[in-house]
Amino acid sequence: MTRWFRSEVMEYVSLIVNEDAAHGCLADLGKMGAIQFTDLNPDLTPFQRRYVSFVKRCDELERKLRFFAGECEKFELDLDSAGKIDDFVDTQESSDDKKGAQLLESMEVELEGYESQLKELNTYSEKLTTEYNEKVELQEVLEKARRFFMTDAPRLAVAELTSGGRVAKSSQERGENLLGGDAARDMDMRFSSITGVVATEEKARFERMIFRATRGNCYVRFASIKQPITDPQTGALVEKCVFIVFYKSTSIELKLKKICDAFDAHRYSLPDMDDAPAVDRMLTENAQELVDSRTVLLKNQDTRFRLCQLLAKHTERWTWLVLREKSVYHSLNQFKADVSGMLRGEGWVIADRVEDVKDAVNKAHANMDMAMPSLVDHVPQPWPTAPTHFNTNKFTYGYQEFVNTYGIPRYREANPALFTAATFPFLFGVMYGDIGHGLFLFCAGLWLISQEKKHDNQKLGEMAEGMHMGRYMIVMMGFFAVYAGFVYNDCFSLGLNLFGSRWEFEGQEDNAVEENAEAVQKSSYGSGESVYPFGLDPIWHVTGNELLFFNSFKMKLSVIFGIIQMFAGTLLKGCNAIFFKEKLDFFFEFLPMVAFSGSLFLYMIVLIVMKWSINWESRMLSATCIDLANDASSWGTDAYDGDWVQCGGDECTPWGYNCANGYDLADKCPLNYGGTGDGCQPPNLITTLINIALQPGVVDEPIYEGQAKVQVVLLIIAFASVPILLLAKPYLLSQQSHAPITHADEGHEEEEHGEEHGFGEIVIHQAIETIEFVLGMVSNTASYLRLWALSLAHSELATVFWEKAMLSTLNLNWFAAFIGFGVFAGVTLGVLLMMDVLECFLHALRLHWVEFQNKFYKADGVRFAPYSFRQAIKDSQS
């Protein structure tokens, strides 16, 4: 854990390698993943780099492999796994005889053959699919058109002839028929028609456009094609329908053809429908051609399928090989050729791995029988900004990414993730505390851990990947939720009487408890038997003042946890100042911050704990007058911690004060702490804390002797720390920048430093820091009350769901109880086990990112991005 507290020590090294052995060196270094190269050619564009041609070749191979993967996906073929990434990286180098350019050349030849073969098959497939679709559409058009002319057309003709006969008969009767019946039938007009196929989704727009273009001077009929037709380009199934349009004008015909072209409707020429033998012959011939086309198309599809099966076995392995080679040449592009035949590179190496890097470089040169020795040497300062790297495992990785999302830790800065691993699930449990709900979350985390190996080798979605990454975090969240549930004694809003309640109501055993009855303790107050062994007594869940008690308890608990965590963050600021030897930050930032937060906020915790630990029953009894004649049984009990002393009068206090002398509480209290209560009355802490600033030196209800003086001193310390925090550091920095210069180089650096950080800028920055800290301590303390608020919301929601969904139906009948349980389970799953988990998670996240980390965390570091084959392959899969 100490190595997780601060990032790994990094060294900036220089590598000088022979150009012929460079590929082998970087192949070995890529397996290690311990070095991050610096670009020594920042002035060169990507197309001016030394190995740009190799990178382009790798890009072309990647394009071909993506094409193969896409073709396999069309056939719903899963790519065969190349195994575990670690096994591939560790064993691949020894299993390949070809290296570098030879490997690329052999892969180019092999993949080019597969690509040309697959493209040729795809071209044939598209052509065959187009021809097959045309024949299918023609067959449908012929069948639909013949059905129309055999059924609909005669029916329409008969209807018109019947209407025309009645008109002719009436005309003859009036003597107005000039041509006669036979001549009228000879003058029957024949309409032209256009037939074709259009997409069903375009049917309404197509018909509307025809109507508008021809102004209604045409007759349109549609008939759906039952079987979807495959699009030859995309392979998607498209619903289509046959249309036939009747018209009587050459101009209308031109418009209709343009409309068909615009809607991508396929037009087909048909024979005369009155010539039945010709139509039948055409149907028969097209049906035979349709069978032949389908046979050829299926053969082509089968050939493509078998080729894709072959490619699916090797595509992922080829992809990893190309990624490996591309990483090598991309890194070589960052090297500089200072001397002919030699390459020089620089980069950051994890200090513990420097010797391994040297061995890898020497080994690569030895394998190539190079006479020119290699060199891996430490580079003197100045260095670029050192990157930040932490060695993490399965448990710590999720928490580290949790912190990195906010910002990367500065190099060697205190890592918040170490503390977040404990405090985040704990604060989540404080908000979500419930035994039953927490157990569900805990079991879900255990299931994710049990599926760990399975999910490691799978490509998961974004949400599933996040759940898998945080599986140990979920287990911890569930564990602390169960723990907090035991503290609250809350299980699905019900209290568990695990150890026997220490309170009881009169008539409780006979179920005859009266309303507004008060519970009494089974044992004397303050004794060990009167304390519930763990957590809160379950009887609080059935009392009328339950909400008042839980609110007071959880609110104080939230304030205690918040102040402790914020103060811990302030202490980490001091640790950073000591580690980086920043004396000004330690003495004039850290110490004033500790003084301010300790004098006001830590003191608040002290008051809370003192109030909890004091036996107020004994103190209040010490200032209570007892009538010795009428209430003699109350005299001499164990409720008073001191010695009982009689005063010689009829009414005495336990310590011997004669109540006949006066009933003022301050006189009757033996403590003499001052104030109205003199220490014998429990104080209102909120009033006490407010009066520290508003009424210094005045304590209405003190807890200990000299409390007023102590609070005045603490207030003076708090006020004195603010101007020190605001002015001391800027003043000393301004004095340093104007100090006499003795060395030329140092003087140049000091002048630049003074120009960069002017006195006014330093003052403004320090003023912002001071205001943020002083106001932040107040606002952040209030922000921690969300622990109380969300815990209260969770318990109250659980209570409402239980009472409204379960209790209201249990006394009705079994069916109502069954329905009630379904409603209860549904709302519990949806609201408390899903929405509330996310809500508590986000609030705990905010408490760490804002309230805790802003006390010390700079978050302006640079993430260590090592040259690693493993990481390159993982990034390609995400």
Side-chain angles (χ1 to χ4, degrees):
M1 287 300 176
T2 55
R3 296 187 63 178
W4 198 27
F5 180 59
R6 298 196 184 276
S7 59
E8 295 291 329
V9 178
M10 310 296 290
E11 288 191 14
Y12 196 68
V13 299
S14 174
L15 290 82
I16 299 178
V17 297
N18 191 290
E19 188 172 0
D20 294 334
H23 185 278
C25 288
L26 265 70
D28 291 338
L29 293 177
K31 294 195 295 181
M32 294 173 55
I35 184 170
Q36 175 183 330
F37 290 109
T38 303
D39 191 1
L40 299 182
N41 306 298
D43 53 332
L44 298 181
T45 65
F47 300 100
Q48 296 174 326
R49 303 291 176 123
R50 190 180 187 89
Y51 293 92
V52 64
S53 60
F54 292 93
V55 175
K56 288 182 178 180
R57 291 168 66 183
C58 292
D59 289 337
E60 180 63 18
L61 290 174
E62 282 187 303
R63 183 198 61 79
K64 293 177 181 179
L65 291 169
R66 287 194 300 269
F67 170 68
F68 294 160
E71 292 299 314
C72 293
E73 186 177 355
K74 290 180 181 179
F75 287 102
E76 298 182 354
L77 290 173
D78 294 330
L79 301 181
D80 290 359
S81 175
K84 294 182 179 180
I85 298 177
D86 292 340
D87 295 340
F88 172 82
V89 171
D90 294 335
T91 61
Q92 189 61 42
E93 190 67 27
S94 60
S95 63
D96 279 338
D97 296 333
K98 300 178 181 178
K99 307 291 192 313
Q102 295 180 356
L103 178 62
L104 288 181
E105 185 176 353
S106 63
M107 289 188 66
E108 285 173 340
V109 173
E110 185 176 7
L111 297 187
E112 180 66 29
Y114 286 129
E115 185 188 28
S116 59
Q117 186 178 356
L118 193 54
K119 282 186 174 180
E120 184 178 359
L121 288 173
N122 286 343
T123 303
Y124 287 151
S125 175
E126 186 175 341
K127 182 179 180 181
L128 292 172
T129 302
T130 302
E131 294 177 356
Y132 177 75
N133 288 347
E134 290 176 353
K135 288 178 171 46
V136 171
E137 292 175 356
L138 178 58
Q139 191 76 7
E140 293 289 339
V141 168
L142 286 171
E143 292 178 356
K144 298 294 190 295
R146 184 173 66 170
R147 185 178 301 112
F148 172 76
F149 281 100
M150 291 177 61
T151 57
D152 293 354
R155 177 173 52 79
L156 295 173
V158 169
E160 186 168 347
L161 286 174
T162 303
S163 175
R166 289 196 295 268
V167 172
K169 184 175 181 180
S170 62
S171 298
Q172 287 178 356
E173 292 177 353
R174 294 194 302 267
E176 296 177 357
N177 187 1
L178 302 179
L179 297 177
D182 295 337
R185 284 190 294 271
D186 293 337
M187 294 296 293
D188 284 344
M189 295 171 23
R190 292 182 61 84
F191 286 83
S192 301
S193 64
I194 289 181
T195 54
V197 176
V198 69
T200 303
E201 62 179 9
E202 299 286 351
K203 174 182 173 182
R205 294 176 58 243
F206 181 71
E207 185 176 9
R208 191 183 308 116
M209 182 61 71
I210 290 177
F211 180 82
R212 291 177 178 175
T214 63
R215 298 184 180 181
N217 292 317
C218 61
Y219 180 68
V220 187
R221 295 298 301 273
F222 292 95
S224 299
I225 299 177
K226 295 182 180 180
Q227 182 179 359
I229 295 177
T230 305
D231 189 317
Q233 295 181 347
T234 63
L237 297 177
V238 181
E239 297 284 346
K240 292 190 175 184
C241 60
V242 176
F243 67 86
I244 181 168
V245 184
F246 294 94
Y247 59 91
K248 187 60 179 177
S249 172
T250 305
S251 61
I252 292 179
E253 181 180 5
L254 294 176
K255 292 181 180 179
L256 291 175
K257 289 181 178 178
K258 291 181 179 180
I259 292 173
C260 290
D261 294 339
F263 282 85
D264 197 22
H266 300 158
R267 291 179 284 111
Y268 295 94
S269 299
L270 301 182
D272 188 357
M273 290 294 109
D274 293 335
D275 189 0
V279 174
D280 293 339
R281 185 168 55 256
M282 189 172 184
L283 278 170
T284 304
E285 293 175 356
N286 187 71
Q288 183 60 41
E289 293 177 359
L290 193 62
V291 173
D292 296 340
S293 296
R294 179 175 177 79
T295 303
V296 177
L297 183 61
L298 291 176
K299 183 65 176 176
N300 174 273
Q301 185 176 356
D302 181 65
T303 305
R304 288 168 53 216
F305 179 76
R306 285 188 280 107
L307 180 58
C308 288
Q309 278 185 319
L310 175 64
L311 295 175
K313 296 180 180 179
H314 306 286
T315 297
E316 186 169 282
R317 174 179 168 274
W318 287 336
T319 301
W320 290 4
L321 285 173
V322 172
L323 287 173
R324 187 191 70 184
E325 295 301 315
K326 186 178 179 180
S327 299
V328 170
Y329 290 114
H330 177 73
S331 298
L332 285 174
N333 277 334
Q334 296 178 323
F335 281 55
K336 198 166 187 176
D338 294 329
V339 181
S340 178
M342 303 298 293
L343 295 176
R344 177 175 63 88
E346 294 181 358
W348 290 102
V349 181
I350 302 174
D352 294 343
R353 307 293 300 277
V354 172
E355 294 300 323
D356 295 337
V357 170
K358 291 181 180 180
D359 293 343
V361 174
N362 293 332
K363 179 182 176 182
H365 281 75
N367 292 337
M368 296 290 292
D369 295 330
M370 294 293 177
M372 183 67 183
S374 59
L375 178 63
V376 178
D377 197 10
H378 182 76
V379 177
Q381 293 184 353
W383 297 334
T385 303
T388 302
H389 174 68
F390 296 97
N391 285 322
T392 57
N393 52 36
K394 296 177 181 179
F395 179 82
T396 59
Y397 175 75
Y399 294 102
Q400 190 61 56
E401 290 301 311
F402 180 93
V403 171
N404 290 347
T405 305
Y406 178 82
I408 306 300
R410 182 180 289 183
Y411 177 65
R412 303 292 288 164
E413 179 185 20
N415 184 17
L418 175 63
F419 307 93
T420 300
T423 58
F424 177 80
F426 177 75
L427 293 184
F428 174 88
V430 171
M431 290 184 282
Y432 195 72
D434 189 285
I435 299 173
H437 301 147
L439 196 59
F440 274 101
L441 193 61
F442 181 74
C443 293
L446 290 180
W447 180 83
L448 288 172
I449 293 176
S450 68
Q451 302 295 313
E452 182 178 291
K453 293 183 179 179
K454 178 182 177 182
H455 292 163
D456 281 339
N457 300 323
Q458 286 183 344
K459 294 180 181 180
L460 304 174
E462 182 178 359
M463 181 173 292
E465 180 65 29
M467 298 283 286
H468 175 65
M469 182 184 69
R471 56 195 181 277
Y472 291 98
M473 185 186 297
I474 294 174
V475 169
M476 295 292 290
M477 288 160 55
F479 171 78
F480 280 108
V482 173
Y483 172 78
F486 277 110
V487 172
Y488 302 152
N489 204 339
D490 199 352
C491 180
F492 296 112
S493 77
L494 302 176
L496 302 180
N497 194 10
L498 300 176
F499 306 104
S501 175
R502 270 42 176 178
W503 298 76
E504 65 178 353
F505 290 98
E506 185 179 354
Q508 179 176 327
E509 297 180 357
D510 301 329
N511 295 326
V513 179
E514 297 181 359
E515 190 174 356
N516 297 326
E518 291 187 4
V520 294
Q521 283 189 305
K522 297 180 180 179
S523 304
S524 60
Y525 178 83
S527 64
E529 296 179 354
S530 65
V531 179
Y532 196 73
F534 184 82
L536 299 178
D537 197 298
I539 202 168
W540 286 109
H541 287 277
V542 296
T543 58
N545 58 345
E546 171 195 5
L547 196 59
L548 182 64
F549 172 78
F550 276 100
N551 278 349
S552 176
F553 171 73
K554 293 181 179 180
M555 181 173 64
K556 291 182 177 66
L557 210 61
S558 301
V559 170
I560 292 174
F561 290 151
I563 293 175
I564 290 175
Q565 187 176 33
M566 289 191 296
F567 191 74
T570 307
L571 294 180
L572 288 175
K573 182 179 182 68
C575 292
N576 284 335
I578 294 173
F579 181 82
F580 293 113
K581 299 179 180 179
E582 297 172 343
K583 295 182 180 179
L584 291 181
D585 288 349
F586 182 81
F587 289 106
F588 301 108
E589 279 193 351
F590 167 67
L591 292 182
M593 288 180 177
V594 170
F596 181 84
S597 58
S599 60
L600 294 180
F601 296 91
L602 285 183
Y603 180 67
M604 185 190 309
I605 297 180
V606 172
L607 292 181
I608 293 174
V609 175
M610 288 185 67
K611 184 178 178 181
W612 279 347
S613 59
I614 290 174
N615 187 346
W616 289 106
E617 183 173 356
S618 175
R619 280 199 180 187
M620 290 188 291
L621 184 59
S622 67
T624 302
C625 292
I626 301 175
D627 190 347
L628 298 179
N630 300 324
D631 194 15
S633 60
S634 299
W635 186 266
T637 61
D638 296 334
Y640 179 59
D641 294 338
D643 297 329
W644 291 82
V645 179
Q646 292 188 0
C647 62
D650 294 334
E651 293 185 14
C652 300
T653 61
W655 61 280
Y657 176 78
N658 192 344
C659 295
N661 297 330
Y663 286 90
D664 188 13
L665 181 60
D667 295 333
K668 294 187 292 182
C669 183
L671 300 178
N672 296 320
Y673 290 167
T676 59
D678 213 22
C680 288
Q681 185 172 336
N684 186 325
L685 290 182
I686 296 178
T687 304
T688 302
L689 294 170
I690 292 175
N691 287 339
I692 292 177
L694 297 184
Q695 295 180 349
V698 177
V699 181
D700 190 38
E701 297 166 346
I703 298 179
Y704 60 91
E705 187 175 5
Q707 182 175 350
K709 295 180 181 179
V710 171
Q711 291 181 175
V712 170
V713 173
L714 293 176
L715 184 63
I716 293 174
I717 293 174
F719 275 112
S721 63
V722 175
I724 296 174
L725 180 62
L726 176 63
L727 301 174
K729 183 179 177 181
Y731 174 76
L732 293 176
L733 285 176
S734 66
Q735 294 298 314
Q736 290 179 4
S737 63
H738 293 89
I741 307 301
T742 57
H743 192 276
D745 294 337
E746 292 179 359
H748 180 67
E749 292 179 4
E750 288 292 334
E751 289 176 4
E752 289 184 352
H753 186 273
E755 293 176 0
E756 182 180 357
H757 302 287
F759 180 71
E761 183 181 351
I762 294 174
V763 171
I764 293 174
H765 180 268
Q766 194 65 24
I768 295 174
E769 288 278 343
T770 303
I771 295 172
E772 182 181 4
F773 176 77
V774 173
L775 296 183
M777 285 299 298
V778 179
S779 63
N780 293 346
T781 302
S783 182
Y784 274 93
L785 292 177
R786 71 186 66 235
L787 297 174
W788 156 52
L790 268 76
S791 176
L792 176 65
H794 182 90
S795 61
E796 292 302 309
L797 280 174
T799 302
V800 170
F801 294 159
W802 171 258
E803 292 179 352
K804 300 301 181 183
M806 287 299 296
L807 289 185
S808 60
T809 58
L810 283 176
N811 296 327
L812 297 178
N813 53 63
W814 68 269
F815 184 75
F818 180 79
I819 298 298
F821 175 77
V823 173
F824 172 74
V827 295
T828 299
L829 176 64
V831 177
L832 296 178
L833 293 179
M834 297 180 69
M835 291 176 57
D836 201 42
V837 168
L838 180 60
E839 184 181 13
C840 294
F841 181 91
L842 293 176
H843 281 282
L845 176 70
R846 181 238 153 81
L847 289 177
H848 283 78
W849 279 2
V850 179
E851 277 71 25
F852 172 58
Q853 292 179 182
N854 71 352
K855 299 294 182 293
F856 69 99
Y857 191 40
K858 300 299 183 182
D860 57 355
V862 179
R863 186 165 191 167
F864 181 58
Y867 164 61
S868 170
F869 296 149
R870 293 177 179 83
Q871 193 61 42
I873 294 173
K874 289 179 180 178
D875 292 342
S876 69
Q877 294 177 342
S878 59

